[in-house]
Amino acid sequence: MKEYMTIAQARAGLKKKEFSSFELTKYYLNKIEELADLNAFITVDQERALTCAKQADSKIASGEDGILLGIPIAVKDLFCTRGVRTTAGSKILSEFVPEYESTVTQNMLNDGAVFIGKTNMDEFAMGSANITSFFGPCFLRYRRKTDPSIRLVPGGSSGGSATAVASDLCIAAVGSDTGGSVRQPAAFSGLVGIKPTYGVCSRWGMIAFASSLDQAGPLTKTVEDAAIMLQSIAGYDEKDSTSANIKIPNYSKSVGESVRGMKIGLVKEYADGLSQETIDLLGRARQWLVEAGCETVELSLKTTPYTLPAYYIIAPAEASSNLARYDGVRYTRRSEQYTDLDSLYIETRTEGFGEEVKRRILTGTYVLSAGYYDAYYRRALKIQKMIKDDFKNNAFSKVDLLLVPTTPGTSFGIEESSKMTPVEMYLNDVFTVTANIAGLPGISVPAGLSQDGLPMGVQLIGPKFREAKIFRVASVIEQSAGFEKLREGIIIA
Ligand code: GLN
């Protein structure tokens, strides 16, 4: 089997009968076992995956087609999958087997996808390093050139999905992004990760963290694959009241289309305090776009510094309310140490939630409580409105897309991360939360390697529903960066 195969290549191979979906699935299942120490998966149901692959093979044999037909895909353990345990990386849901399928995963099944397993993640998608999972940390397979002995984080919260794709344990994966959880791990792992416009993918059956910000998004090896995956998972769904009733364009068609004449904005506030290598990376990306016929424009978004604080009020506020349902009475694990109803709630939640989740629930409850609501929550919502207006009036009235960093730095060590304060960890999200707070689409594209030999990504943010335009420009960056070649130079220990 060819290494690091894309969806497009695997589809061609299946069509030409170079291999069957069964063989392809078996190949990845073996690799998952071989590289089990990466801890990329929480649940792998081999039999189920192989049965599904066989069904795909008979469909292929009978001439059926589907954009993901027979393709092994990994699914973040945040999407409810009928009959397959769905934990959200939490002890409290460690025995939860949903009776329904999320719309996003159902859409992929309708297109013929073979689910290879449920991937590791930060508990309830809260984190930037995949270290808060009840099932243990997930690791980046790549190592620093300067010290290959250090184990690095894949980013989070979709760290398992990123490692599964980057370590070639599947062809592509789906994650979720509330404040950067698709784009940040994509950047750390040398992958493409897109968070679509809020409302493009249905949230039905996706375990809620912060409902007004949550969006599903693909993690893939190429921009073309991201377009294929998004095509599959996007679409209106009446079961999600915030689902956007729009016509989904043909995303794949836009990959490779000319970008001549496009205006790309560079935002002053995103350059504050950047490392020299990130400045250089952005400079190169800018140059590639100019060579492809784009014009770059410098602009200022003054609300930028307020975005992270607003996010860390709004997201915990919604989380505190969403997580109230895990009470030990319904679908959760129940503590055995209780004497009455109150202690059943208290003991179940004390045992079932990890430290970071408790921190968010406490923060969220505090900012929503009488007396603090106006000072924190209402204020954060006002800031959110200002941020949205800022993008609209001062960015997208002048330019087509923005070119900004995805992350302040590259992947860091697991040890280092355990010494970070919560606020230091939250600072990882400074460039990604803006797209969530404003409901805009954002993509991270691998653009180069750091001096340490680790992947680095750049981010493109666009106006609402302009994913097709994002794919066009992302594809230029991908081609110019030649990351495929660079990837071969990254150290794997
Ligand atoms: N790292 C951010 C947080 O911890 C974003 C998480 C996410 O996008 N799910 O909240």
Side-chain angles (χ1 to χ4, degrees):
M1 216 59 82
K2 181 181 170 307
E3 280 195 11
Y4 218 66
M5 228 189 297
T6 62
I7 299 177
Q9 291 163 346
R11 278 177 69 191
L14 286 168
K15 248 191 196 139
K16 285 193 244 146
K17 308 251 179 305
E18 285 169 14
F19 43 78
S20 65
S21 172
F22 185 85
E23 285 163 341
L24 194 61
T25 305
K26 187 88 196 123
Y27 167 76
Y28 286 119
L29 287 171
N30 289 342
K31 281 185 99 174
I32 291 172
E33 265 184 8
E34 246 170 68
L35 295 175
D37 66 318
L38 292 172
N39 207 17
F41 288 86
I42 293 176
T43 305
V44 177
D45 185 339
Q46 295 214 4
E47 222 171 288
R48 202 181 177 100
L50 291 171
T51 310
C52 189
K54 270 192 213 152
Q55 285 165 357
D57 281 329
S58 35
K59 282 186 186 161
I60 295 170
S62 66
E64 266 184 59
D65 209 1
I67 55 173
L68 296 176
L69 187 55
I71 306 292
I73 303 278
V75 176
K76 184 175 185 177
D77 210 14
L78 185 88
F79 294 91
C80 287
T81 39
R82 190 187 301 122
V84 179
R85 181 170 76 137
T86 301
T87 70
S90 182
K91 183 177 179 185
I92 211 159
L93 283 177
S94 57
E95 293 156 17
F96 174 53
V97 180
E99 284 171 22
Y100 49 87
E101 191 74 36
S102 80
T103 300
V104 159
T105 48
Q106 187 61 54
N107 286 345
M108 289 192 283
L109 290 175
N110 294 347
D111 287 326
V114 174
F115 293 153
I116 197 110
K118 305 291 297 283
T119 57
N120 204 345
M121 55 179 285
D122 279 302
E123 187 178 4
F124 284 103
M126 297 170 188
S128 308
N130 211 126
I131 53 168
T132 72
S133 169
F134 171 64
F135 300 89
C138 168
F139 302 99
L140 185 75
R141 192 160 179 225
Y142 298 144
R143 309 283 184 129
R144 275 185 195 142
K145 228 165 37 190
T146 41
D147 190 349
S149 69
I150 297 177
R151 300 243 50 182
L152 303 171
V153 302
S157 63
S158 313
S161 290
T163 287
V165 182
S167 312
D168 206 21
L169 308 180
C170 60
I171 292 198
V174 66
S176 70
D177 191 313
T178 303
S181 282
V182 162
R183 289 161 290 156
Q184 186 247 20
F188 282 11
S189 306
L191 300 173
V192 176
I194 179 163
K195 181 204 85 77
T197 308
Y198 184 75
V200 163
C201 296
S202 167
R203 290 180 296 106
W204 196 81
M206 189 173 141
I207 293 173
F209 164 9
S211 311
S212 78
L213 309 169
D214 297 342
Q215 263 297 289
L219 285 125
T220 57
K221 293 164 186 168
T222 60
V223 174
E224 184 187 22
D225 277 7
I228 297 173
M229 281 276 280
L230 187 59
Q231 199 80 50
S232 175
I233 63 177
Y236 174 68
D237 179 13
E238 60 180 20
K239 287 187 281 197
D240 172 0
S241 63
T242 59
S243 176
N245 199 348
I246 52 146
K247 194 176 164 332
I248 302 295
N250 184 340
Y251 296 128
S252 302
K253 233 187 73 206
S254 52
V255 178
E257 269 182 7
S258 166
V259 297
R260 193 158 293 282
M262 270 206 205
K263 283 200 176 122
I264 307 293
L266 306 162
V267 189
K268 189 174 143 280
E269 286 75 10
Y270 283 70
D272 289 347
L274 281 187
S275 69
Q276 192 53 46
E277 60 182 7
T278 309
I279 295 174
D280 293 345
L281 184 82
L282 281 168
R284 281 198 298 278
R286 173 190 194 164
Q287 191 53 36
W288 296 330
L289 295 180
V290 169
E291 282 161 16
C294 295
E295 184 191 330
T296 57
V297 181
E298 289 186 32
L299 52 89
S300 166
L301 291 174
K302 298 220 161 38
T303 55
T304 306
Y306 307 107
T307 318
L308 194 70
Y311 171 84
Y312 275 98
I313 289 173
I314 295 170
E318 293 186 24
S320 73
S321 154
N322 274 326
L323 271 58
R325 74 191 72 176
Y326 306 112
D327 54 10
V329 175
R330 288 164 296 175
Y331 29 57
T332 54
R333 246 176 99 120
R334 180 179 300 173
S335 166
E336 284 163 12
Q337 316 297 321
Y338 66 91
T339 47
D340 57 10
L341 189 60
D342 275 349
S343 73
L344 180 144
Y345 294 153
I346 294 168
E347 295 304 330
T348 296
R349 289 167 69 83
T350 304
E351 282 174 23
F353 290 137
E355 206 182 309
E356 183 59 30
V357 172
K358 286 177 187 158
R359 183 176 295 119
R360 305 279 178 119
I361 293 174
L362 287 172
T363 313
T365 309
Y366 180 79
V367 300
L368 287 178
S369 58
Y372 296 102
Y373 186 95
D374 286 338
Y376 293 102
Y377 186 64
R378 198 187 298 278
R379 225 190 220 171
L381 291 184
K382 277 188 194 151
I383 291 173
Q384 179 175 30
K385 171 85 175 64
M386 286 162 64
I387 295 165
K388 285 184 178 174
D389 291 344
D390 206 9
F391 271 109
K392 203 165 134 208
N393 302 331
N394 301 318
F396 298 126
S397 60
K398 301 181 185 138
V399 297
D400 294 285
L401 301 179
L402 301 174
L403 170 68
V404 294
T406 309
T407 54
T410 51
S411 169
F412 38 86
I414 299 244
E415 287 282 298
E416 293 163 46
S417 70
S418 59
K419 289 188 203 106
M420 285 183 197
T421 64
V423 173
E424 280 168 342
M425 187 59 89
Y426 299 165
L427 283 170
N428 268 292
D429 310 324
V430 66
F431 302 128
T432 45
V433 288
T434 51
N436 303 80
I437 285 289
L440 305 172
I443 198 170
S444 181
V445 196
L449 295 184
S450 68
Q451 280 161 3
D452 257 351
L454 291 175
M456 294 177 84
V458 293
Q459 185 182 198
L460 295 165
I461 300 177
K464 279 191 181 171
F465 306 118
R466 291 293 173 266
E467 283 79 2
K469 223 181 224 184
I470 286 187
F471 285 131
R472 262 161 80 184
V473 178
S475 160
V476 170
I477 294 177
E478 177 179 55
Q479 295 308 317
S480 315
F483 192 80
E484 220 181 310
K485 268 260 143 319
L486 294 177
R487 196 178 53 81
E488 289 164 13
I490 309 178
I491 294 187
I492 296 170

